[in-house]
Structures are given as C-alpha cells and as structure tokens.
Amino acid sequence: MPIFTKTAKAVLILSRFLLVAAGLALPAQSALAESAAPAPAAALPAPTGPVMLTVTGRIAGTDGIGMARFDAAMLAALPRREFATSTIWTEGVQSFSGVELRSLIDHLGVTGGTLKITAVNDYSVQIPVSEVVAGGALLADLRDGKPMKVRDKGPLWLVYPYDSAPEFRNEVVYSRSVWQVDRIEVLP
Amino acid sequence: MSDSFPPFLGSRRRLRPFLFAGLVVVFLGAVGALYRYGVMVQSEIDNLAIANSDSLQWTLAQLEVEYFHMDGALLRARPDAPETMAEFGRSFDVFYSRVHTILEGRGFASIVTPEVAGPEIGRIDAFLHETAELVDAGPEALAPALPALRDRAGALEDDVRKISLEGVREFASRAMAQRERVFSSLMLLASLTTALLAAITAGLVITWSLWRFGMRQTGSLSAAKARLEAVIGTSFDAVIVVDHEGKVLEFNGAAERVFGYSHDEAVGRNLNDLIVPEAMKAAKVAGFKRYRTGGVPRIAGHGLIGLQARRKDGSVFPAEISVTATRIGRKEIFVGYMRDITDRVAAEKELIDARDAAMAGEQAQAEFVAVMSHEMRTPLNGLLGTLELLRETPLDASQTALLASMQKAGEILLSHVNDTLDVERLDAGKLSLTREPFAPMSVLDEIVQMQAGAAAARGNRLSTRTAGRLPEAVEGDAMRIRQVLLNLVGNAIKFTRDGTITLEADYHRDQGQLEYRVIDTGIGIPAAETERIFDDFVTLDPELSREATGSGLGLSIARRLMRAMRGQIGVESDVGQGSAFWISLPAPVVLSLQAPVAPMPVVKAPAPPAPLAPNAAAPGAAPCSADDGPALRLSTSVEVLVVEDNDINRVVLCEMLRRAGHSIAEARDGVEAVEKAAERRYDVILIDLNMPRMNGVDATEAIRAGTGPNHETPIIAITANVLPEARHSLEAAGVCRVISKPITRKMLDQVLAEELCPRLRQRPLAAPPAPAAEAELPLVQAETRAELAQSLGPEMMAQTLQRFLTEGAAMVAALTRATAQERPAETAALAHKFAGSAALLGAERLHHRLKTIEVALRPATPGTAPDAATGAALDALDALWTETRTRLEAAPASQG
C-alpha cells in the first residue's frame, strides 16, 4: 500500500510536471488554431450575443472540422444543473449553475475521443470523453446566481461537486477544474 | 500419568483461565491498536490520495508567468492599438484571478500571512484594485495611466518573486513534514505488524505445546487404559461394566470363566439376557428403571450383596456382587464385581449345620443335667430324712459326729442340685414370676427370722431398718425376692465375723422402684472383682466357699433372677470395711386385698411361750408358741393325715411328725386320702402332688368338694418340683400352701405353726365343723371386721372397704347362671376370690354362699347347667350382696 501510494504520488507529480511543460508550450499552438477557426456549421444556430464558448473538432454534423459557438442565451437554453460546493481556490460554499459537460457533448453529438479544454490564460487539459459522466463535471456560467467575469474565473468554470464525494477531491479532478474556459476541442 | 509432568502442573492448571484471559486481552488490544493505526495510516494515504490543494507550485509558477504576461502586455499596450489594450485587459484579468486564487485558496494561507509575504501580497492586491478600476473604466481612461501603470507593475517584480520563493520554501518544509508523518505512520504500522507477528508466533508456540501436552496425555491415557485392562483382565472376580440401560460395555476374562460367555458374545447385549435368572428379571428391570428415574438404588453402592446369577448354560449359582455407579461425562455406568460363591455358601451351610448340631447337643446336655438334677432330688430327700431320723436314735459320740458330716454333705449336695436346677430354669426362660401383693418389710422380717441363728453362730448381729416410709403393699414375686436376699444374707454371714449385718428396705415412689440393701462389716471385695462376682462359678475365697454351699452359682442366680424381674443387682465394697449389696426392681404400690397385711401370726423368740387358749369344743385346737430358737413350733399336738406314695418319704414324714408329738394317719395315694378324709376330721392334711391313681390336686378338690369333715381342713401340698405356674391351680383346688422337698423337721414345725395358728386364733373351729345353714351365720362378723380395722388403720380400712364394695358389685354382676354354665371354672375362681375378700371383711354369710358356689362349680364341665341348689344360690346372690353392703356401709363409725 505505501509503495503503491508512493508510486501513485510519483506518477502524479511527474504528470503534473509534464502538464506544466505542456501548458507552457501550448499557448502558441492554440493561438494558431484560433486564428484558423472554421465557420460554424450550418446545422447549429448562430450565437446572437458575445461568444462565451467555442467548440471545435469532431462534433456532429461538422465532419470533424466544424465549430460550435455558444452565447449566454444558448447555454441557458441547454439542460442545466446546479449544486453547491466549496472549492480549494475560493472561500466558503458557493452555488454553481451551468451545463453539465456530458449534456454539452451529448448536445453536440460527441461519441468518443478526447476533450481538450482550454482557458483564457491558455491553461489546457485533456479529458477522455469516456470519463465525462452525468453528475460529474459542470461547465458553470453562474456563481451564486451571477455571471462570472474573467477576474472571478469566468466566464465559464469547469467545476465538480467536490464536497459530494472524495472521488472529486484528487489531483486529477483538481487539474481538470479549469477556470476561465473559452474553448473546447474534440480530439479523435 | 502425572509423573511425566512437572509438579507445578497444579498451579498452572489454576492459572490457566487467567492466562487464557490475558491472551485474549492482548489479542483484542493488538487488533484494536492495529485497527486504530490502520485507520490512521489509511487517513494518511487518503490525505495523499485526496489533494487538498491543486498543485501549489504550479499556481505559484503561474503567478510569475502571468505577471510577466501582464507586464509584457502592458508594455505593448498602445492606446491607438485596441487589440493590445484588450490583450492587456485579458492578461490583467488572468493575473488578477491568479492573485485572488492565492489570496483565497486553502493552500496558500501560510504564505499570505503578514510574517511571510503579507506586505508583498498586499502591495500586489492594491495594484490590482487600482488597476482594475482603470481597466474597467475603459481604454479612454486607461490610456493616460499606462506609463504610471508600467512603472508600478515593474516595481512588483520583486514582490512576485518573493512570493514564489516563499512558496517554494514553504511547500518544501510542508512536504517534509508530510513525509515524516507518513514515515511515522508507516513505522507504527510496521511495529504493529511486528507485534502481531510476535503474537501469532506466541500462539503457534502455545498451540504446539498444547499439542505436545495432548500427545503426552493421550500416551499416559493409553498406558493407564492398558494397565486398567491388565488389572481387569487378570482379576479373579468377574468384572462387568454396563451402561445405564444394562447394556454390557466390558466383560473380562474372569467373567468369561464364571458365566461361560465369551467377551464378544457378551459385549453389547443386555445384562438381563445374560446373567439374571429368569425368576429375577422383572425385579432387575424394575431396579434399573427406578434408578434411572431418580430412585434409591438397592444394589449400587451398597457394598457386597449376595444374589443368584445365571450361567450361559442356564444353571443358577450364588454370587456375591458389588456394584458401583459412576459417571463418565454425562453418562452413568455401573461397574459390577462378581464372584461365584458356590463353594463358600456350601462351606457356610456345613458350618451352620455343624453349629446347629453342636447347639442341639448342648441343649440335650443341659436337659440331661436338668433331668438328672431333678431325679437326684427325690433320693437325696429320702437320704436326708433318714439321716434326721437316725439322729433321733441312740448314738455314741463318734456316730453323732459322722452323722453330722453326712448331713452337712447331703445339704451341700442338695443346694448344688437346687442351684443347677435354678440356673437351668432361668437360662431356659422357664421361670415364670408371680405378681402378688406383699409387704416389703415382711420379706426382711422373714429372712431375719430364718437367718438369725446362722448369723449369731458367727457372732454377727442381724437387723433390719427402713429408709423412709414404705408402702403397705407392693406387687411382685416375694418368693424370688426372698430367694435373692437369702443368698445375699447368707454370703454376708459367711464373710463377716463378729460384725453387723443390716437389711435395709427403701422405696422410690417416683420411679416405683423397690430397693433392698444388705450391708455387712465383713472382709469386703476388691474393686476389680465387684463385677466378676456375679458371673458363673466365681468364688472369691475357694476355701471358705467350698466349705459352705459355694457352687459359685449363688450370685449369678441372684443376678439372673433380678434380670428376670427387670431389676438390677450390684455391690459397693471396700476391702476390710465391708460390702453393701443392693437389689432394685420395679414394684408398683397396690392395695392389698387378697392377702391381708397383718403382723406375723406367730410369736417370736425371745418372747415367752404364749399358748393360745385351746377351745374345748375344738378337738384340733392347736395353740402355737415359739421355742428357744427363731423357729416356730406348735405347742400342742394336732392330728395329721399324711398322703404320700413314696414309702421312704412317707415313713420319714410320719416319723418327724410323730416325734413332734402329733398323731398321724397315713394314705398311699389320692383315692385312699379321700376315703380317709371322709371318715373323720383332721387338723391338717399333708399331701404329695404326684401320686398314682389320683394326684394331690384332684384329691384336694375332692376333699374340699364334699361336706365331709375335712372340707375346710388346711391342706399343705408337698412337691419335689414346684412349678410356679401350677400354684394358681393348686390354690384354686383349695391347697393352702405348697412346700418343697426335702422336708426338714424345722420346716415342718414352722409350716404347721403358720397354717394352724391364725386359723385357730381367727376363726376357732369350735363352731360345728360346718354350719348347718348359711342363715345361722352372722351377716357381718363384727369381731373380724374390728380386727381388720385395727390392723389397717382407719384410712386404709376405708379404702379397703370402698374397694371391696366396688369390686363386689362387679363380682355379683359376673356371677350368674349363664356364666356358671358357660365358664364354670372361671366362675368358680371368681367366687373363690370374692369369698376371700368377704371373709376378710367378716361378711360370713356371703363368704359361705360363695364358697358353696365355688365348690359346686369347680368340677363342672362347660355347657352343663348348674344344679338346682347352686342355681338358686347364684340367683339369690344379688339380694345377699345388697344386704351385706348395706350392713357394711351402715356401720363404719363403730369401726373407727
């Protein structure tokens, strides 16, 4: 057991360093991708307000090269969920409201692959679609009922119900809790 | 078994529960501790698994990165290029967010404290707030402030650096602390594991030692079993073990031999079917059932018991069995040890037969001795009588001396024979005792009278005295008491010279015990001998004893007699001082009715001869007097009829009487006696009881029955063998007195005096021999009654009268025609008894009537109606009784 724990810890630490390295290396690439973003798919409605989230990659109806953009109203129209939890980055318990990541990818017809989620500050994580389950990650757009600014880790914050179960209180979950989310790319 | 174990096994056995409890506690403690520390370690692991913080170093590193991003964007920002302004805004927001993450995040509390990096973070925060306002105000408001912002942002570089470095330092120490915590937890876990391992090892050691203990136990058990099997197998007794239902569990070699079954045949079968005889099966089954249901066992635990057992071939034999019930675990088993005792039983039977034969032989011998002793008495009697006659003839001096020796020897021989007969009779239980009223003191007086001469011969003074008040009369066998006392007084005289011998009578009213003491001042008896002297053939002074009567049986006979009377005998003695023999026996106080308590009707020496005035009209009037000795003698001559079949005895008797001056008539048997008695009146008749043709009893009855001249004459029976039980029949027949052979002159004189004096004195025979009619008699003879009153005293007289009246009523009711017809003998006896009472009180008419009835009824056979005269007498009895009673009741005052 201790040996395992040690090993696990070593693996975790190692992966963290790799991620740091990746995080340092990514901004340039993503900036390129962003500039080459394709037009949104005809099947998806166009946003009318400021775009809060852009989803690209292998999403339905786009043959893997489409793009979906969401404004606040569009996100509000999707199935929503709300829970209250504390986080290790903030003080006190807050209520988070938004769209479950699962609902989102279901809405977009994503069936497999990996989600690469990127923040305004270019922090980025990859989450296998198979690990995106209902009752898990929430793409929150409201904190305590109010929209979040970039300074308050908005506009979107991928949060988990940390308080509800220990399985949501580990490094992997914390590392996937991306704030200031503005892009998601569905990788094969 | 125990020899293979150290001696402290016992204490270890006692400690075992504590040891076990201790082990359990240790084990539970270890498990508890293990659980507790396991949980601790688990939580440590959980702490590792659950990250309480994101990667803090990453966040700190990002702080610097995002600071430089913002700083870079600020440098590039130009009011004329809006995208640069927007980029600054975005990078500012990111930095802002990062700083706030540090300020608010859980993992950074130790860094943002004032002591560590408080001022730095404060400055950064202030910058952020001020700049945020500018950024929010829009590009127009921001543009002019850009140069100042650049300066301020540049100044923050050191602060940001400081926070980063502090973070590195802080997290390094925090990691170390966590590592140490994990390390200590792991150490704890390791030590616990070690402890557990040690406990398991200890458990293994204990298990191993228990296993070895068990092995040794098994070994010694099997050794013990082998030994036991050897013991049982080689036992001479059959050993059979059965369970509670009687099923055979063990059957040893001896059992195989005794019962004939082999071990394999017997084991597993029921004992009942094997060895219990058919006849006893039911009882055996019942016994087992009773035992099982909690009853009391009849065989188990009762030691050796003899019973019948059955062999395989069906033969039954006597066996001795001992059964023990024992418990093995919860099951009860019975272990039986059995032995064939056929030979022993046969031997025992032989022994018993031999003993019975021996006892029969002894019995025969005893009887032989008794018969021979008895047979010796008659010729001895003749011999002694002849010697007495011989002494009366002219003899020279030497002849007289020889005669004296012969007489002495003859007397000793006679006393031996008498002693032998007494012992035999007492031992055979043939002695029957009478219970009759007697005056306690009169017994002593008689003895003094008889022994005074012998005592005086040895210079002894013989006297009597009473301790306390004696009752007038008690009930008991005076003759036997006299016999015992005579023996004691005889001994006292024998062992005392020139001393005093005191006879004492005492009565313990509370216990109803009559006590006599014979106290002498003789040589005494050593203390060691006081018990032994009552044994057979014990003579303390052989010389002295042999010289006298000492058969050595005297005291042993006395003790036998006392035991027969439920009394005791004992002695207290000091050597040289004297002895005090005592006898004590139960003797209830009675009112004397049948035998009047009267002073001795004789005159004792040294009173001068006091001849009673002979009644001229009475031919046989016999005044009596005492001669110079203590013996009595009639002072006048009387006419005697001697009836005796034995010629020698008759001749001796006649000669003795003739010498005493009496006139004699002789008869050879009962028939002749009756004939002679019918011819003329005699003063007294001496009659032998055992005679051919007609015996003494029948002859007496015949003489009494008629109205002949002798129907009231005193009749004295002579016998060689007085059976006490015969006395009543003799009395009923009318015999006044019984005397035992041999008859001495002295005895004859005394008996005649006793029998004739009171009669002559009290009821002079001056009256016609038989009153012609009852009517001529007085209803109540006042003189008789007065005399009685004088003898008894007023109180006693009143009691006696009352008793007579009470008794009389019952008597009269019982004396009827009917009873006379049904039970004539019984009625006669009643009449006789009632007549005695009547005579005592002077009721002469009643007495006469009763005598008539008695005499008439005595020979009658049951079922025969009484003759007319007797019937009439019976019928009129009631009237006569009423008359008599009235007279008796009417005149008490005059009797005072």
Side-chain angles (χ1 to χ4, degrees), chain A residues 167-186:
Chain A
E167 67 206 52
F168 296 122
R169 296 195 291 271
N170 59 53
E171 269 93 351
V172 175
V173 171
Y174 291 146
S175 70
R176 285 176 181 174
S177 300
V178 185
W179 58 70
Q180 298 166 338
V181 172
D182 65 347
R183 289 157 283 163
I184 296 175
E185 186 182 359
V186 182

Side-chain angles (χ1 to χ4, degrees), chain B residues 349-668:
Chain B
K349 191 176 180 307
E350 263 176 47
L351 209 60
I352 288 168
D353 290 347
R355 188 200 63 187
D356 288 349
M359 279 170 71
E362 200 178 319
Q363 181 80 20
Q365 203 169 357
E367 274 168 22
F368 171 75
V369 170
V371 170
M372 279 315 292
S373 306
H374 183 71
E375 290 304 319
M376 278 189 281
R377 279 219 301 199
T378 306
L380 196 54
N381 183 30
L383 201 64
L384 284 170
T386 315
L387 287 175
E388 192 136 333
L389 292 178
L390 193 59
R391 202 173 56 178
E392 306 285 331
T393 60
L395 298 168
D396 61 26
S398 66
Q399 281 173 327
T400 306
L402 288 173
L403 193 63
S405 297
M406 286 168 75
Q407 240 175 338
K408 188 90 184 162
E411 276 162 14
I412 291 170
L413 181 58
L414 185 65
S415 80
H416 286 350
V417 169
N418 283 339
D419 283 355
T420 310
L421 275 173
D422 274 349
V423 169
E424 193 272 330
R425 204 178 292 151
L426 284 164
D427 285 353
K430 287 177 187 166
L431 182 82
S432 63
L433 298 160
T434 59
R435 294 190 68 80
E436 282 179 351
F438 68 95
M441 208 54 202
S442 70
V443 176
L444 293 187
D445 291 338
E446 283 164 32
I447 288 167
V448 169
Q449 217 174 75
M450 289 161 79
Q451 297 290 317
R458 287 178 64 84
N460 293 322
R461 209 171 69 79
L462 191 58
S463 63
T464 63
R465 69 172 179 227
T466 59
R469 209 167 73 84
L470 290 178
E472 297 284 348
V474 296
E475 202 173 67
D477 193 333
M479 191 184 90
R480 294 296 176 186
I481 295 168
R482 189 162 50 227
Q483 184 180 348
V484 172
L485 287 173
L486 266 175
N487 179 279
L488 297 179
V489 171
N491 283 343
I493 292 168
K494 207 152 62 184
F495 293 103
T496 308
R497 179 167 282 280
D498 300 331
T500 58
I501 294 159
T502 309
L503 275 63
E504 225 172 61
D506 194 356
Y507 193 79
H508 303 280
R509 279 172 201 278
D510 45 346
Q511 294 146 21
Q513 288 273 330
L514 178 61
E515 189 173 331
Y516 290 111
R517 288 181 282 269
V518 177
I519 304 159
D520 66 50
T521 56
I523 58 171
I525 301 161
E529 309 282 1
T530 50
E531 265 307 307
R532 209 171 65 85
I533 53 169
F534 294 104
D535 292 343
D536 286 347
F537 306 115
V538 172
T539 48
L540 288 186
D541 183 349
E543 243 177 273
L544 203 58
S545 305
R546 287 294 168 210
E547 178 200 329
T549 60
S551 63
L553 287 171
L555 284 175
S556 70
I557 289 169
R559 185 166 67 174
R560 281 179 172 90
L561 281 172
M562 289 316 295
R563 280 182 183 163
M565 291 188 282
R566 291 184 294 123
Q568 287 169 304
I569 185 166
V571 64
E572 282 152 34
S573 182
D574 285 323
V575 175
Q577 301 288 305
S579 306
F581 280 85
W582 55 265
I583 61 170
S584 168
L585 73 158
V589 177
V590 290
L591 289 176
S592 122
L593 242 185
Q594 284 185 319
V597 183
M600 284 290 283
V602 289
V603 185
K604 277 183 281 185
L612 291 163
N615 192 316
C624 56
S625 72
D627 60 11
D628 51 358
L632 294 167
R633 217 175 104 189
L634 286 171
S635 53
T636 56
S637 86
V638 292
E639 285 178 40
V640 186
L641 175 62
V642 177
V643 188
E644 167 68 274
D645 61 320
N646 183 311
D647 287 339
I648 304 170
N649 282 354
R650 191 179 66 250
V651 168
V652 169
L653 202 53
C654 290
E655 191 59 30
M656 281 179 180
L657 290 167
R658 200 168 290 131
R659 302 221 173 165
H662 306 303
S663 47
I664 314 293
E666 290 179 46
R668 283 185 177 74

Side-chain angles (χ1 to χ4, degrees), chain A residues 1-2 5 9 16 20 24 86-91 120-121 123 150-151 153 166 169-171 174 179-180, chain B residues 45 48-55 58 66 90 93-94 96-98 101 104-106 132 135-136 186:
Chain A
M1 192 78 164
T5 315
K9 199 174 178 190
R16 183 61 46 89
V20 171
L24 288 174
S86 62
T87 77
I88 61 168
W89 306 278
T90 54
E91 288 179 358
V120 176
N121 65 353
Y123 177 78
V150 175
R151 285 174 214 163
K153 301 184 170 59
R169 296 195 291 271
N170 59 53
E171 269 93 351
Y174 291 146
W179 58 70
Q180 298 166 338
Chain B
I45 288 164
L48 293 176
I50 299 169
N52 283 323
S53 58
D54 196 353
S55 176
W58 159 260
E66 282 163 8
R90 199 169 61 245
D93 284 350
V94 168
Y96 184 100
S97 170
R98 180 68 59 188
T101 302
E104 294 169 15
R106 271 176 224 169
V135 170
D136 291 345
L186 289 177

Side-chain angles (χ1 to χ4, degrees), chain B residues 300-356:
Chain B
H302 280 241
L304 279 175
I305 289 171
L307 41 74
Q308 301 285 308
R310 181 166 57 97
R311 292 195 191 90
K312 186 182 183 182
D313 60 15
S315 57
V316 172
F317 65 97
E320 199 171 63
I321 180 170
S322 159
V323 177
T324 312
T326 184
R327 233 168 234 291
I328 293 181
R330 299 182 125 210
K331 289 168 83 177
E332 183 148 46
I333 62 163
F334 299 88
V335 183
Y337 298 86
M338 268 159 268
R339 185 178 291 179
D340 183 345
I341 54 166
T342 308
D343 295 344
R344 208 180 73 194
V345 167
E348 273 173 9
K349 191 176 180 307
E350 263 176 47
L351 209 60
I352 288 168
D353 290 347
R355 188 200 63 187
D356 288 349

